Amino acid sequence: MKFVVDGMLGKLARWLRMMGHNVKYSDTVDDSQLLALAKNEHRILLTRDFELYQRAIAKGFDAFYVEGGTEEERLAELARRYSIRLEIDMDISRCPKCNATVKQIPKEKARSRVEESTFRYYNEFWECPKCHQAYWQGAHWTRIRKTLKVAEIQVESAEKKEV
Ligand SMILES: [Zn+2]
């Protein structure tokens, strides 16, 4: 799915990229540029700005007003609205920094890029072809999986309430 995300939702943009979605985000673009991206590139506009949301809807664009205060709530809202799977598949995952699809690299290629202990402990590494950031599923993945799990539980409980 293709999104354009307003300047207040940088964290959400990074989550969506990691889950494999094509997300344009910059904290320096103004409202008219966001609307132009939604129009010209058929991107779903995600915004915390209700006025901007209303302008997008009035023009017939797909837009979503993000209300949740936490990352988990925001992810759960989006998962429900757009049937997004709350998981990260490294085969389609995008660089949270720059939106390019990451590529797995041979372990040996990561040797000079990461700490020695990281290199010894992990076997799978990925790299962003654009900004060359190296990625691995290190200790921080415990937190990533927990956030996704909490969001998933919120989706499930919201669906139960609807029945
Ligand atoms: Zn990158």
Side-chain angles (χ1 to χ4, degrees), residues 95 98 128 131:
C95 175
C98 74
C128 172
C131 73

Side-chain angles (χ1 to χ4, degrees), residues 137-155:
Q137 294 182 323
H140 58 294
W141 271 71
T142 308
R143 206 173 62 237
I144 287 173
R145 291 195 184 95
K146 192 175 163 222
T147 297
L148 292 174
K149 187 74 212 162
V150 170
E152 184 75 55
I153 289 165
Q154 289 186 10
V155 170

Side-chain angles (χ1 to χ4, degrees), residues 90-104:
M90 291 307 291
D91 288 340
I92 58 164
S93 191
R94 287 169 179 259
C95 175
K97 285 186 177 174
C98 74
N99 198 38
T101 304
V102 300
K103 298 269 178 277
Q104 189 158 16

Side-chain angles (χ1 to χ4, degrees), residues 71-139:
E71 293 312 306
E72 289 88 346
E73 283 167 6
R74 292 171 182 182
L75 287 166
E77 285 174 2
L78 278 177
R80 294 188 67 210
R81 168 70 182 264
Y82 295 107
S83 303
I84 288 171
R85 293 174 69 182
L86 292 170
E87 59 182 33
I88 296 173
D89 174 356
M90 291 307 291
D91 288 340
I92 58 164
S93 191
R94 287 169 179 259
C95 175
K97 285 186 177 174
C98 74
N99 198 38
T101 304
V102 300
K103 298 269 178 277
Q104 189 158 16
I105 53 171
K107 180 168 178 168
E108 203 46 51
K109 240 187 119 181
R111 185 187 285 278
S112 59
R113 319 274 309 278
V114 300
E115 301 265 342
E116 177 62 30
S117 57
T118 301
F119 183 77
R120 260 187 284 131
Y121 196 76
Y122 297 98
N123 287 317
E124 290 195 298
F125 294 90
W126 291 263
E127 180 190 56
C128 172
K130 205 164 138 195
C131 73
H132 303 291
Q133 173 74 43
Y135 293 101
W136 65 96
Q137 294 182 323

